[in-house]
Amino acid sequence: MLVRTVTNILDANNRIARDNRALFDEKKVFVINLMSSPGAGKTSLVERTIDGLRDRYRIAVIEGDIQDSFDAERIAKLGIPVIQINTGGACHIDGNMVQEILPNFDLGAIDLLITENVGNLVCPAEFNVGENIKVMILSTPEGDDKPRKYPLMFEKSAALIINKMDLMAHVSFNIDKAIKDSLIINRNLSIFQVSCKTQAGLEQWFEWLRDRMNDFFARRP
Amino acid sequence: MHELSLIQSLLTIVEQYAGREKFSRVRSLKLSFGRLSCLDRKSLEFAFSVQSAATIVEGAALDFEILPARIYCFSCEEDIVLPGALAEYCPRCQGQDIVLSGGTEELKLLEMDVD
Ligand SMILES: Nc1nc2c(ncn2[C@@H]2O[C@H](COP(=O)(O)OP(=O)(O)O)[C@@H](O)[C@H]2O)c(=O)[nH]1
Ligand SMILES: [Mg+2]
Ligand SMILES: [Zn+2]
Ligand SMILES: [Zn+2]
C-alpha cells in the first residue's frame, strides 16, 4: 500500500519554534539567531553589539557555541544575562533546546535576545528556534567561496556580516565576488563589512538592527 | 551530524503515520531534498541503517529524489536547471543577472510503501 505523505522532516522542530515565537511576541522580545563557522567572530560581534545597543535596549544572550566554553563568561563579564545551552555535542541549536532554557530568563525584562549558534555553516540554518531574523557572519580568512559552497545559510539569513575586514588584504579575500554570489543566492540580504577588532563598519550594522527592532516593537505596542 | 537528528524526526513521523493508518511494516520510503541543501545522501543512509534497527522501518529501502540547483535568469526570463552546483552566469545566455530559484529544499518524506 502506498501512502502519500509529503511531510517536512523539520515540522516538529518548526512547531516548537512557532511556540517559542508566540511567547517572544507576547513578551515583546526581538530574537536573533546568529550563525557562522567556528572562530568567525560570533562572540566578538555579540560583545560589540551589546556595547553599541545597551543604552537603548535590554539585552540577553543564549550561548550555544561549544568551541569555546569561555563564551558565556565573556558575556557575563559585561553584566548581561546569559545562559549556556548544553548541546551535548550537537552541531546546531534547535527549538527544543531554546524552549527548555527560556524559564531561566525574565523575558518581560528583555528587548533583544541574541542566540549564538554552534560554529557550523551547515545545519544551524535548517533549525529554527523562534527567531525574528537569522544573521550570519563570514570572516575574510574563511575565503570568498563560502556562499557558493554553503548557499543554504546565505539564503535564510536577513543579514550577512563580513567580519575581519582588517585582515582582508592578507588573506586574498575577493569581497566583490563574495557579495555578488551572496546576492545571487538571496537578493534581500543586507550586507555589512565590519571589523570587530577595529570596530570599522559596526555603526551601520547597529543602525540597521535598531530599525528592524523598532519596526517590531511598533507592530506590538 | 545533523543527519542523525533528521533521521530521528523521520522515524517519529513514520511511527505517527503507522498509528493512524494501521500498518506494521514499511517496505520503502521516498525522500527528497535539494542538492544545495548540504545534506549528504550517504550520511542519511548510514544514520537510517543505524537508527531504524528494531523499529517498523527496519530494512526498508530508501529512495531519494534529489532536486537540482536552479536559477531564474532575468535576461532569458526563465527558470533554468543547472547541471551542477551554483553558477555565476546563466548557462544559456552567459548573463549575470540571475537569482537562485531552487536547490536548497529541505528534507521531505514524500511517500511510503507499507504493509
Ligand atoms: N583580526 C581580527 N580578529 C577578529 C575579529 N573579530 C574576531 N576576531 C578574533 O577571532 C577569534 C574568534 O572570535 P570569536 O568571537 O570567539 O568567534 P566565534 O567562535 O565565532 O564566537 C578571536 O581571537 C577574536 O579576537 C576581527 O574583526 N579582526
Ligand atoms: Mg563564540
Ligand atoms: Zn546540526
Ligand atoms: Zn539567461
Side-chain angles (χ1 to χ4, degrees), chain B residues 71-78 80 89-98:
Chain B
I71 52 141
Y72 180 81
C73 172
F74 288 90
S75 311
C76 298
E77 297 185 342
E78 226 179 294
I80 295 165
Y89 304 98
C90 167
R92 193 168 299 169
C93 73
Q94 315 303 317
Q96 295 192 41
D97 197 11
I98 59 173

Side-chain angles (χ1 to χ4, degrees), chain B residues 30-96:
Chain B
K30 186 163 187 188
L31 302 168
S32 79
F33 63 86
R35 67 158 288 166
L36 301 181
S37 68
C38 301
L39 283 168
D40 179 52
R41 177 183 177 148
K42 287 231 159 55
S43 309
L44 285 170
E45 284 169 340
F46 176 71
F48 183 80
S49 70
V50 173
Q51 291 171 278
S52 64
T55 73
I56 61 166
V57 294
E58 181 167 15
L62 283 188
D63 193 9
F64 288 96
E65 185 177 320
I66 299 178
L67 306 165
R70 282 184 289 121
I71 52 141
Y72 180 81
C73 172
F74 288 90
S75 311
C76 298
E77 297 185 342
E78 226 179 294
D79 221 41
I80 295 165
V81 170
L82 299 176
L86 188 55
E88 272 174 73
Y89 304 98
C90 167
R92 193 168 299 169
C93 73
Q94 315 303 317
Q96 295 192 41

Side-chain angles (χ1 to χ4, degrees), chain A residues 8-194:
Chain A
N8 191 325
I9 301 304
L10 292 160
D11 272 358
N13 183 68
N14 287 336
R15 268 195 299 276
I16 298 171
R18 275 198 294 277
D19 290 346
N20 292 348
R21 183 67 254 153
L23 182 62
F24 294 138
D25 279 344
E26 184 199 322
K27 305 282 186 185
K28 301 194 201 72
V29 185
F30 189 89
V31 183
I32 296 176
N33 185 353
L34 182 61
M35 311 175 291
S36 80
S37 304
K42 292 180 296 303
T43 311
S44 305
L45 185 74
V46 172
E47 291 169 323
R48 293 303 190 190
T49 305
I50 289 169
D51 277 349
L53 298 183
R54 69 184 304 168
D55 60 328
R56 287 234 240 153
Y57 303 103
R58 297 166 298 173
I59 305 175
V61 174
I62 295 176
E63 270 303 332
D65 197 357
I66 46 168
Q67 299 299 323
D68 177 352
S69 57
F70 301 119
D71 285 1
E73 290 161 37
R74 280 166 66 181
I75 305 302
K77 231 182 263 162
L78 302 173
I80 292 289
V82 54
I83 306 289
Q84 173 90 45
I85 288 188
N86 191 345
T87 55
C91 42
H92 60 268
I93 289 175
D94 66 23
N96 191 46
M97 294 176 198
V98 168
Q99 187 164 60
E100 279 177 356
I101 58 133
L102 284 184
N104 296 306
F105 286 114
D106 176 7
L107 290 178
I110 298 173
D111 305 311
L112 171 61
L113 177 62
I114 307 176
T115 300
E116 179 176 342
N117 217 310
V118 180
N120 175 346
L121 273 185
V122 182
C123 50
E126 297 177 317
F127 293 84
N128 297 323
V129 300
E131 65 272 23
N132 293 72
I133 52 172
K134 291 182 169 66
V135 173
M136 71 171 294
I137 303 175
L138 172 64
S139 62
T140 56
E142 291 172 74
D144 48 37
D145 59 343
K146 289 297 174 292
R148 197 164 286 277
K149 280 194 174 147
Y150 302 101
L152 185 66
M153 193 170 285
F154 291 81
E155 183 182 51
K156 299 244 165 152
S157 295
L160 164 65
I161 313 267
I162 303 182
N163 188 33
K164 307 196 187 180
M165 286 300 290
D166 54 298
L167 299 179
M168 186 165 79
H170 310 284
V171 295
S172 68
F173 179 89
N174 183 336
I175 186 84
D176 295 334
K177 174 175 161 54
I179 291 176
K180 186 166 158 261
D181 286 355
S182 301
L183 291 174
I184 287 176
I185 296 163
N186 179 356
R187 290 219 155 190
N188 300 318
L189 195 61
S190 296
I191 302 178
F192 302 92
Q193 301 175 36
V194 314

Side-chain angles (χ1 to χ4, degrees), chain B residues 4-19:
Chain B
L4 289 174
S5 28
L6 293 174
I7 293 296
Q8 197 50 55
S9 304
L10 168 68
L11 297 183
T12 306
I13 290 167
V14 174
E15 266 152 25
Q16 282 164 355
Y17 268 98

